[in-house]
Amino acid sequence: SQSAEVKTNIITLTRFLTEQEHKQKHATGDFTLLCHALQFSFKSIAYYIRRATLTNVSSHRLHTFHLFQLTSPQLIGLAGSSNTTGDDQKKLDVIGNEIFINVMRGSGKVKILVSEEEEEAIIFPGNGKYAVVCDPIDGSSNLDAGVSVGTIFGIFRLADNAEGKPEEVCLPGTELVASGFTMYGASAQLVLTMKGGDVNGFTLDNALGEFILTHPNMRIPKKRAIYSVNEGNTVYWDDACRAYFESIKFPQNPDEKPYSARYIGSMVADAYRTLCYGGIFAYPADKKSKKGKLRILYECAPMAMVMENAGGLAVTSDQRRMLEVVPEHIHDRSGIFMGSYDEVQKVTAIYAKYDLIN
Ligand code: P6P
């Protein structure tokens, strides 16, 4: 019988990082070691999410059991603390955050760590040259429903004289040296991009415990009639925003079909589908969320860098390039439209028409 093709030359993330390092003339290896620490945190979080899922299944017969209570049922109940957004902090959020903090500290390469779960930036002693921004478990409120959640991250190279002050990491996305996200779905899927580089997808092989390069040089389709937005916020949108979504739901041109709607409510899952299939993802700033809901540093900018390096675009609600926005503080927010190049251009064209009118 046909034996399954034996892959004897697989490219692991570890090998990929070594090859990337050799391309950099003055590489010291610090960035590579930081990325190894990052991949270890993704493997650890993937393990705990999978275990939580199993625990949830085994305990379903006993009582409703929130996935966030990672360990044994005795730990029922929320962690009791709440994060910067004020929503209840679930056990898994806490564990994902703690894993990330401990692994980044242990790397010895990080000076400043910003996490959605931490009000203040964490400053590590030592001479780390990098700042890491992250949302350890984004979308966790959906976890109980089996929706894919993920870790979103970005890496900045700090100035040599950086003292470890929060304002030193309030940088535009154009300064990111690397960014990406790991989606914890059927398998853990890492999407990683480096400054000026392309976008590469790695799948965690649980047997090997290695991320394997499965999606080299991911390119987002130039256009696709899919839109991804929470239409429950329509009543809060400004006129230009409404006009844009009206234009794709009720196309003027009779031979144009209306767009399909796809919205999961977990940014990593919506972003990954948008990267793979094309279309537009939006979380507009509106009357309810004046600066938008998503965070610039560890949600909008890393995702914008992935979309741009894959051939797409990302803009704010006032149609500025997302990557050029400088956050006013580490948890600053922005409206965002991101995805296929032509689709984002359509948004900007409609907004331009509205700006002319108003
Ligand atoms: P809404 C999840 O809570 C999250 O931070 C993102 O992952 C997601 O894109 C967004 O919020 C969903 O927000 O208001 O549509 O529920």
Side-chain angles (χ1 to χ4, degrees):
S1 67
Q2 287 286 336
S3 66
E5 181 216 345
V6 177
K7 291 197 184 317
T8 57
N9 188 23
I10 49 179
I11 300 182
T12 62
L13 174 59
T14 301
R15 174 174 154 187
F16 176 86
L17 290 168
T18 301
E19 289 166 357
Q20 289 296 315
E21 181 185 325
H22 290 163
K23 289 179 190 167
Q24 309 291 330
K25 280 189 295 298
H26 312 298
T28 63
D30 284 344
F31 176 76
T32 301
L33 289 172
L34 171 53
C35 289
H36 288 332
L38 271 174
Q39 74 167 313
F40 177 70
S41 53
F42 304 145
K43 292 177 185 177
S44 307
I45 293 172
Y47 166 76
Y48 281 117
I49 286 185
R50 208 172 33 256
R51 203 161 76 112
T53 313
L54 289 175
T55 313
N56 179 48
V57 167
S58 64
S59 66
H60 242 307
R61 286 184 293 282
L62 306 176
H63 38 67
T64 55
F65 183 79
H66 286 298
L67 263 186
F68 316 109
Q69 321 316 332
L70 182 78
T71 49
S72 61
Q74 282 87 342
L75 289 177
I76 291 277
L78 304 181
S81 50
S82 75
N83 67 7
T84 46
T85 40
D87 55 35
D88 286 332
Q89 200 153 20
K90 312 285 193 294
K91 217 97 201 84
L92 211 59
D93 277 357
V94 173
I95 290 186
N97 185 47
E98 286 173 6
I99 288 172
F100 219 89
I101 295 170
N102 292 333
V103 173
M104 290 298 105
R105 177 190 303 109
S107 75
K109 303 301 172 193
V110 180
K111 161 83 61 197
I112 306 175
L113 173 62
V114 169
S115 165
E116 177 174 41
E117 306 295 342
E118 297 290 328
E119 183 72 31
E120 305 300 329
I122 298 176
I123 313 299
F124 293 125
N127 57 356
K129 294 187 287 193
Y130 292 95
V132 173
V133 294
C134 78
D135 186 354
I137 312 263
D138 181 80
S140 63
S141 52
N142 299 291
L143 206 66
D144 241 359
V147 170
S148 295
V149 298
T151 301
I152 309 172
F153 65 92
I155 304 174
F156 291 103
R157 172 72 167 78
L158 289 169
D160 285 340
N161 60 356
E163 294 156 35
K165 294 201 180 82
E167 53 273 20
E168 289 166 336
V169 72
C170 289
L171 300 166
T174 46
E175 294 298 309
L176 284 162
V177 292
S179 83
F181 57 89
T182 299
M183 183 172 73
Y184 306 103
S187 59
Q189 191 69 41
L190 165 64
V191 172
L192 172 68
T193 190
M194 296 180 191
K195 190 176 216 170
D198 49 27
V199 175
N200 290 289
F202 300 81
T203 304
L204 181 59
D205 177 321
N206 292 315
L208 290 175
E210 289 285 7
F211 279 101
I212 309 293
L213 178 64
T214 48
H215 300 67
N217 190 18
M218 296 178 84
R219 303 297 292 169
I220 184 169
K222 199 162 179 303
K223 60 181 170 187
R224 181 71 189 271
I226 297 175
Y227 72 97
S228 186
V229 71
N230 182 346
E231 298 203 61
N233 291 328
T234 303
V235 73
Y236 306 116
W237 291 346
D238 62 36
D239 294 346
C241 188
R242 286 184 197 218
Y244 164 68
F245 285 104
E246 291 282 303
S247 75
I248 58 175
K249 290 163 70 176
F250 304 92
Q252 297 299 319
N253 189 329
D255 56 18
E256 266 180 17
K257 285 192 301 147
Y259 280 35
S260 281
R262 294 282 184 276
Y263 192 70
I264 303 169
S266 172
M267 189 185 198
V268 170
D270 281 317
Y272 190 65
R273 185 207 52 255
T274 303
L275 178 60
C276 295
Y277 293 172
I280 183 139
F281 172 87
Y283 207 109
D286 59 27
K287 297 183 186 73
K288 182 174 72 165
S289 319
K290 291 220 175 345
K291 294 196 80 176
K293 173 180 183 184
L294 300 177
R295 312 291 186 159
I296 297 171
L297 265 184
Y298 42 78
E299 288 173 324
C300 298
M303 286 297 184
M305 182 175 173
V306 167
M307 292 296 167
E308 285 205 4
N309 285 359
L313 281 179
V315 297
T316 64
S317 272
D318 41 19
Q319 304 308 302
R320 288 180 295 148
R321 186 179 173 218
M322 186 73 241
L323 285 177
E324 289 172 3
V325 173
V326 179
E328 289 166 16
H329 57 85
I330 60 173
H331 297 298
D332 200 2
R333 303 168 191 258
S334 171
I336 184 167
F337 292 83
M338 66 181 193
S340 295
Y341 190 91
D342 289 1
E343 303 306 336
V344 177
Q345 289 280 63
K346 259 187 173 178
V347 179
T348 303
I350 296 270
Y351 270 69
K353 247 171 38 189
Y354 257 76
D355 287 347
L356 286 178
I357 298 167
N358 302 339

